Amino acid sequence: MVKRRRRTVATIKDVAERAGVSTATVSYVLNGTGSVTAATRQRVLQVVAELEYQPNHAARSMRSRSRTLGLILPNGAAGLSTPTLAELVAGLTEAAANHGYYLLLAGDPVQSEHLVATSLARTGRVDGFVLLDLQVDDERSAHLTAAGVLHVGVGAPASGNACPGLSFDLTGGALIATRSLRTLGHRRIALINLPSELTDSDLLYQGFAKALTETGEEVAPSLIVEAGTSQDDGLAAMQELLAQPEGPTAVLAASDELAFGAMHALRDAGIEVGRDVALIGCGDVPLAAHTHPPLTTLRAPRRALGAALAHTLIALVEQQPLPSFTPLPLQLIVRKTTCPLPE
Amino acid sequence: MVKRRRRTVATIKDVAERAGVSTATVSYVLNGTGSVTAATRQRVLQVVAELEYQPNHAARSMRSRSRTLGLILPNGAAGLSTPTLAELVAGLTEAAANHGYYLLLAGDPVQSEHLVATSLARTGRVDGFVLLDLQVDDERSAHLTAAGVLHVGVGAPASGNACPGLSFDLTGGALIATRSLRTLGHRRIALINLPSELTDSDLLYQGFAKALTETGEEVAPSLIVEAGTSQDDGLAAMQELLAQPEGPTAVLAASDELAFGAMHALRDAGIEVGRDVALIGCGDVPLAAHTHPPLTTLRAPRRALGAALAHTLIALVEQQPLPSFTPLPLQLIVRKTTCPLPE
DNA sequence: ACCGGTCACTTAACCGATTAACTAGATTAT
DNA sequence: ATAATCTAGTTAATCGGTTAAGTGACCGGT
């Protein structure tokens, strides 16, 4: 009769026994703490390799951190479909892995985001959170801060928020984009901006405004439209601009998504983008290269932003000094939607 | 002198003390096990609410499962950018949440996928894994099975694999797509298929072949090309088809990505898609509606597949009978790339 | 020769839950 | 009346690590 062996993984106790030491010693070896002779260390490591021992995660997190970062997917997790978020997540995952961290995903359910986050943090499932689309006076951030939940936000740091906010250099990007439109001869340049709740919105505006005022021009309020974030919002915004007596000859859209909508509106109005009106988007999602005509846009290093977010959040969690961060530069990718001012 | 109170979350002990019972009783109340009077239950729940107590996850998982499912992102996590995967993940996350599970993301690092998965499982971080792009005789599955790691695969279940495989009804989809091309008068219909390593590849072929043989026709081997998965692969495959003496008048591509590549190849050859040659893709990614001309394609319920994967994997983990699964039906979305056979 | 200090460990407490085993009191069965 | 059973709890072991505190051997200094 064969003794049925329960299939289970090796524990630290198994390693200790086999190596003839106490579990403490094994722990010391594995964590590089305590003092252990080279010989003992060797023996322990040998056994660890033999048994393919890997410390149980739950047991570890009971005494320290869970080495897990949390992310809540907006729109019932549908938001992940947007290339912007997808690449950000890729960057996050990658950078986190380099520090031994993993990413826990949660769809946003019935409850509000900060409740889910707080719950995940209080149960010790995650050490900190990434907040997407940071807003001005973001109440999610306020709630999390009050609950003592560490977090970083995607978006410019804003006065009302206690958390670090990381973003692209949208001001610089808007500046070079607008300048390039001016260089092409355009004077009536419009801005289809993000909702003003988003902290990123003002960054864009600042760059846009600077490009105009640096040449002594005025910013025409009628040429600035605050839109939503969807393609339809971009369409509506463009229609609003076209309805004006003196419409724009060039448009800067705060996102590719908005720009796509604007393209639709222009086409519907019988205006040819890239000939009659110049258009610049922001983000450079894959689709941007494949529209007709291909969209001139500001390329955003989304992966790098994801990595920066991970580094910052992990530093926060491990109580190390936060890494310095300068907003990530955008690059103007000139395609076919920009053109000189027609006579 | 005020006693410094360490900021920390309430434990089961705090609840027990405050409610005047033992921790066991609190646990029984919370888990619905044991026997507790209504009065005691009330009191405990009251305290739980007061202290906003939530059981520590690490402590729980030490005794049971971690209630976490794992997913490894292919291509250094870049694969997430593809809408296919993104929506699958959304469906997974959502369905998992309904069972109290969360999704842990890992990018694939230096090590091979099964090693990462095994490590995550052995450390108790995750209970089971979702394997993307299931292959015939998938060695990842073999390794995981050998290591006792529970998993389900995305793709048709294949003879060589021990794990459940969930996929779309690609056979049915290919059947209706090919039939529709035949109805339009086409006779020389080509198939640009996925790599034959993928279990899904054969499913597609079966449907394609059936549509031809059911009307007594032969399947021309020269009109079947095995491609890779990228747009460039689709381009190359189409070029190969065009190089033949009697090229196809209609093409079924196994993915939208491949179809996009095929469109490029056709355009480069001066052939107008949707007039000279009919093309049907598979997947219906968002971009499909926005190409020129918009792509006729088979819509795949990716979210639903994600949900089904979650249900199956959780059943596996909780040792419940696996839910029955029938391959999810595809729907033909007719846009502008299909056309009757030109005279 | 004696003391203090390292070194290289071991022992045992602890993290926060679950749960098997036990107990006292109430109820039912014989 | 006594045993058997049930109810509503409690006690304590346990999961698998980490780490503070303890221990004996060894070394150098006076």
Side-chain angles (χ1 to χ4, degrees):
Chain A
M1 180 155 15
V2 179
K3 177 115 68 68
R4 181 73 79 121
R5 177 189 301 262
R6 270 213 312 131
R7 160 140 213 132
T8 193
V9 288
T11 71
I12 199 173
K13 204 177 283 183
D14 299 327
V15 175
E17 261 171 38
R18 207 160 204 264
V21 296
S22 70
T23 64
T25 302
V26 176
S27 181
Y28 290 142
V29 168
L30 260 34
N31 295 306
T33 52
S35 76
V36 187
T37 50
T40 309
R41 174 186 313 281
Q42 277 295 318
R43 195 151 25 92
V44 169
L45 290 177
Q46 166 80 21
V47 173
V48 164
E50 278 170 24
L51 301 183
E52 295 184 331
Y53 167 72
Q54 294 189 265
N56 178 286
H57 175 251
R60 282 195 125 183
S61 9
M62 281 199 67
R63 303 289 308 228
S64 58
R65 281 169 262 103
S66 65
R67 279 154 244 259
T68 308
L69 308 180
L71 179 71
I72 299 192
L73 298 175
N75 307 327
L80 196 57
S81 307
T82 68
T84 311
L85 181 48
E87 283 193 44
L88 193 85
V89 170
L92 261 171
T93 310
E94 228 169 51
N98 292 339
H99 292 256
Y101 279 69
Y102 289 88
L103 200 64
L104 195 76
L105 241 48
D108 73 349
V110 233
Q111 313 170 50
S112 51
E113 178 166 349
H114 75 266
L115 285 179
V116 178
T118 307
S119 161
L120 248 19
R122 290 175 57 109
T123 57
R125 240 182 196 279
V126 310
D127 298 326
F129 261 91
V130 175
L131 235 49
L132 298 171
D133 295 329
L134 200 56
Q135 300 179 9
V136 180
D137 295 323
D138 200 309
E139 65 163 6
R140 299 169 303 167
S141 177
H143 276 122
L144 291 185
T145 306
V149 180
L150 300 176
H151 60 286
V152 299
V154 181
S159 55
N161 299 326
C163 69
L166 275 52
S167 189
F168 304 116
D169 179 15
L170 293 168
T171 301
L175 182 63
I176 60 171
T178 312
R179 270 186 192 153
S180 86
L181 290 172
R182 286 195 48 82
T183 305
L184 288 168
H186 295 278
R187 289 301 173 267
R188 294 205 309 282
I189 305 177
L191 172 66
I192 299 182
N193 207 349
L194 296 169
S196 57
E197 300 94 77
L198 295 178
T199 61
D200 275 349
S201 163
D202 191 53
L203 289 190
L204 261 158
Y205 173 76
Q206 293 302 336
F208 175 78
K210 183 170 176 196
L212 298 186
T213 53
E214 74 183 357
T215 56
E217 224 151 322
E218 302 258 309
V219 179
S222 64
L223 289 183
I224 298 183
V225 187
E226 176 183 335
T229 58
S230 75
Q231 198 166 319
D232 282 345
D233 293 326
L235 190 145
M238 192 67 233
Q239 284 174 338
E240 196 177 317
L241 287 169
L242 290 175
Q244 300 189 12
E246 288 222 60
T249 66
V251 179
L252 174 62
S255 78
D256 287 350
E257 197 79 1
L258 290 172
F260 296 149
M263 281 176 80
H264 263 279
L266 288 165
R267 183 167 355 191
D268 291 352
I271 298 169
E272 190 173 322
V273 183
R275 198 194 61 187
D276 307 331
V277 163
L279 176 65
I280 298 183
C282 183
D284 192 26
V285 301
L287 181 51
H290 297 285
T291 52
H292 288 262
L295 181 70
T296 294
T297 187
L298 291 159
R299 177 172 295 167
R302 297 187 279 277
R303 229 158 223 283
L305 183 59
L309 285 163
H311 290 141
T312 303
L313 184 51
I314 290 172
L316 212 57
V317 164
E318 299 189 344
Q319 308 194 33
Q320 286 162 7
L322 297 191
S324 72
F325 175 79
T326 42
L328 303 173
L330 300 177
Q331 185 192 355
L332 185 65
I333 306 293
V334 179
R335 297 207 179 90
K336 304 289 187 191
T337 56
T338 34
C339 54
L341 181 68
E343 287 91 46
Chain B
M1 178 154 17
V2 179
K3 178 118 66 70
R4 181 72 78 121
R5 179 191 299 261
R6 270 211 313 131
R7 160 144 210 129
T8 191
V9 288
T11 71
I12 199 172
K13 204 177 283 183
D14 300 327
V15 175
E17 261 171 38
R18 207 160 204 262
V21 296
S22 71
T23 64
T25 302
V26 176
S27 180
Y28 289 143
V29 168
L30 260 34
N31 295 307
T33 52
S35 75
V36 188
T37 50
T40 309
R41 173 187 313 281
Q42 276 295 318
R43 194 150 27 91
V44 169
L45 289 177
Q46 165 80 18
V47 174
V48 164
E50 278 170 23
L51 300 184
E52 295 185 332
Y53 166 74
Q54 295 188 265
N56 179 285
H57 176 251
R60 282 195 126 185
S61 14
M62 280 198 67
R63 304 293 307 233
S64 58
R65 280 169 263 102
S66 64
R67 278 153 246 258
T68 307
L69 308 181
L71 180 71
I72 298 191
L73 298 175
N75 308 327
L80 197 58
S81 309
T82 67
T84 311
L85 182 49
E87 283 191 44
L88 194 84
V89 171
L92 261 171
T93 311
E94 227 170 51
N98 291 339
H99 292 257
Y101 279 69
Y102 288 89
L103 200 65
L104 194 77
L105 240 49
D108 74 347
V110 233
Q111 312 170 51
S112 52
E113 179 168 347
H114 76 266
L115 285 179
V116 179
T118 307
S119 161
L120 248 20
R122 291 174 57 110
T123 57
R125 239 181 197 281
V126 310
D127 298 326
F129 262 90
V130 175
L131 234 49
L132 298 172
D133 295 329
L134 198 57
Q135 299 178 11
V136 180
D137 295 322
D138 200 308
E139 66 164 5
R140 301 169 302 167
S141 177
H143 277 120
L144 292 185
T145 305
V149 179
L150 299 176
H151 60 286
V152 299
V154 181
S159 55
N161 299 325
C163 70
L166 274 52
S167 187
F168 303 115
D169 179 15
L170 294 169
T171 300
L175 182 63
I176 60 172
T178 311
R179 270 186 192 154
S180 86
L181 291 171
R182 286 194 49 80
T183 305
L184 288 167
H186 294 278
R187 290 300 174 267
R188 294 206 309 282
I189 306 177
L191 171 66
I192 299 181
N193 207 351
L194 297 169
S196 57
E197 300 93 77
L198 296 178
T199 61
D200 276 349
S201 164
D202 190 52
L203 289 191
L204 262 158
Y205 173 76
Q206 293 303 336
F208 175 78
K210 183 171 175 194
L212 299 186
T213 53
E214 74 183 358
T215 55
E217 223 150 325
E218 302 258 310
V219 179
S222 64
L223 289 182
I224 297 185
V225 187
E226 176 183 335
T229 59
S230 74
Q231 199 165 321
D232 283 345
D233 293 325
L235 190 144
M238 192 69 232
Q239 284 175 338
E240 194 176 318
L241 286 169
L242 290 174
Q244 301 191 10
E246 287 220 62
T249 65
V251 179
L252 173 63
S255 77
D256 286 350
E257 198 78 1
L258 289 172
F260 296 149
M263 282 176 79
H264 263 279
L266 287 166
R267 184 163 358 188
D268 291 352
I271 299 169
E272 189 173 321
V273 183
R275 198 195 60 186
D276 307 329
V277 162
L279 176 66
I280 299 184
C282 184
D284 192 25
V285 302
L287 180 52
H290 297 285
T291 50
H292 288 262
L295 182 69
T296 295
T297 187
L298 291 160
R299 176 171 296 167
R302 296 187 279 277
R303 226 159 226 284
L305 184 60
L309 286 162
H311 290 140
T312 303
L313 184 51
I314 291 173
L316 213 56
V317 165
E318 299 189 344
Q319 309 194 31
Q320 286 162 6
L322 297 191
S324 72
F325 175 78
T326 43
L328 303 173
L330 300 177
Q331 186 192 355
L332 185 66
I333 306 293
V334 178
R335 298 208 179 89
K336 302 292 186 191
T337 55
T338 34
C339 54
L341 181 69
E343 286 92 47

